[in-house]
């Protein structure tokens, strides 16, 4: 078979995820401490697992409506109103999806025509540019830097807008930097979106995991923004439910209806098991979530302190469970640093360049790892940094 003719050029031209590429190197190696994968080290809280078990015991093994269970949509609506202060109609403005991942894909497919440009702030989650390309859009990164604590600079955003720009993707708290956008910055970004008639996809999957004083603000809650914003959220991170694959999109009914159409032809619905577990998470899982957040908070403080002591300059990230220390003073690239750290000291972290070119000089370290392993990883990293001086 001539695979060069058989396979889609659009897909074969797409680079592999920098994270996957890096972790393939670690496959098979023993005794590695991983600060690599962006996944809670907690098991899903027991009451949520029990809800999934109960669902199966009752024989709930069918499809649900393409819109998902109405009881789930009602629980999402109540939760979102309480947490984000935005009201969504559970009957037509909310769509449960297979993770935030599916919601991103659906939204881009329903918004973009070929050649439409999508802006997003970089370093960013690895799927943004590829999903834009799969929807025949043109991804345009707006670089962020430590000078703005990796939050999107409104002036840089406005300078990047062209007549083809249609969508802005936001992700605060941010993967991989843990950065947050203060309300004032979001207000400036919102004014730019209104002025230039942009639609906003805001991926707020880490919104509960904030450790600063300010309450989380969703851009969807700012005046004039609900009608031009799709709020994406899910259960993977805050409720430690990555494997249950459940997320949701909240936004204008015109867009939700089109997304539901694509969803009905592709995924049909998230499993009924995870939908029933999701209801339990929203209604009775918040205390467990807050306990996990407290634990991440302590680990963040520990790891940032250790990094700064060993000469990796590290800002205090306001949210998520990532640190983004600088390795610039060691005079080697992010990739070489991460590779040698892995091979010589058996600690896996991700080169900043996996999240965009402006991640050069940085490393992403996920601290959703047990405290004793974090301590061992930091000891090993300190020895490595010492050896590079
Ligand atoms: N968005 C961001 C910013 C992420 O970091 C991730 C996972 O790491 C996702 C979306 C995917 O989330 P889900 O598990 O809900 O598909």
């Amino acid at each position: 078979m001539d695979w060069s003719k058989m396979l889609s050029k659009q897909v074969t031209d797409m680079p592999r995820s920098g994270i996957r590429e890096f972790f393939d190197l670690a496959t098979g190696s023993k005794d590695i401490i991983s600060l690599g994968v962006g996944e809670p080290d907690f098991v899903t809280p027991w009451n949520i697992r029990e809800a999934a078990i109960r669902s199966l015991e009752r024989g709930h093994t069918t499809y649900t409506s393409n819109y998902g269970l109405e009881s789930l949509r009602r629980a999402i609506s109540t939760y979102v109103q309480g947490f984000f202060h935005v009201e969504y109609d559970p009957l037509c403005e909310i769509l449960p999806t297979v993770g935030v991942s599916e919601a991103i894909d659906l939204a881009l497919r329903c918004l973009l025509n070929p050649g439409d440009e999508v802006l997003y702030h970089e370093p960013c989650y690895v799927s943004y540019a590829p999903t834009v390309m799969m929807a025949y859009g043109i991804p345009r990164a707006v670089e962020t830097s430590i000078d703005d604590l990796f939050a999107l600079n409104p002036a840089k955003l406005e300078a990047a807008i062209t007549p083809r720009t249609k969508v802005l993707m936001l992700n605060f708290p941010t993967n991989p930097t843990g950065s947050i956008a203060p309300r004032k910055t979001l207000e400036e970004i919102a004014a730019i979106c209104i002025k230039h008639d942009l639609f906003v996809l805001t991926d707020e999957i880490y919104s509960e995991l904030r450790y600063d004083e300010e309450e989380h603000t969703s851009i969807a809650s700012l005046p004039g923004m609900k009608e031009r914003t799709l709020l994406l959220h899910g259960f993977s991170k805050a409720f430690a439910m990555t494997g249950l694959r459940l997320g949701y999109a909240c936004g204008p009914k015109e867009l939700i209806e089109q997304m539901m159409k694509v969803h009905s032809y592709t995924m049909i619905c998230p499993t009924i098991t995870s939908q029933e577990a999701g209801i339990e998470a929203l209604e009775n899982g918040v205390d467990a979530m807050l306990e996990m957040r407290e634990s991440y908070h302590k680990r963040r403080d520990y790891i940032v302190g250790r990094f700064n002591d060993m000469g990796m300059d590290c800002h205090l990230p306001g949210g998520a469970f990532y640190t983004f220390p600088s390795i610039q003073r060691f005079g080697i690239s992010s990739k070489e640093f991460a590779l040698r750290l892995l091979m010589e000291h058996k600690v896996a972290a991700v080169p900043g360049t996996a999240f965009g070119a402006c991640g050069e000089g940085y490393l992403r370290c996920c601290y959703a790892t047990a405290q004793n392993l974090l301590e061992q990883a930091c000891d090993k990293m300190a020895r490595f940094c010492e050896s590079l001086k």
Side-chain angles (χ1 to χ4, degrees), residues 73-86:
R73 279 179 278 126
R74 289 196 181 280
I76 291 170
S77 177
T78 305
Y79 183 82
V80 166
Q81 191 172 354
F83 187 78
F84 294 99
H85 312 299
V86 198

Side-chain angles (χ1 to χ4, degrees), residues 38 98-102 104 125 128 171 175 203 205-206 234-237 242 245-247 322:
V98 180
V100 169
S101 304
E102 191 210 356
I104 294 171
Y125 180 46
Y128 290 170
N171 171 225
N175 175 6
D203 172 353
I205 191 165
Y206 297 102
F235 297 78
S236 289
K237 311 293 175 169
T242 47
R245 311 304 306 123
L246 189 63
Y322 306 107

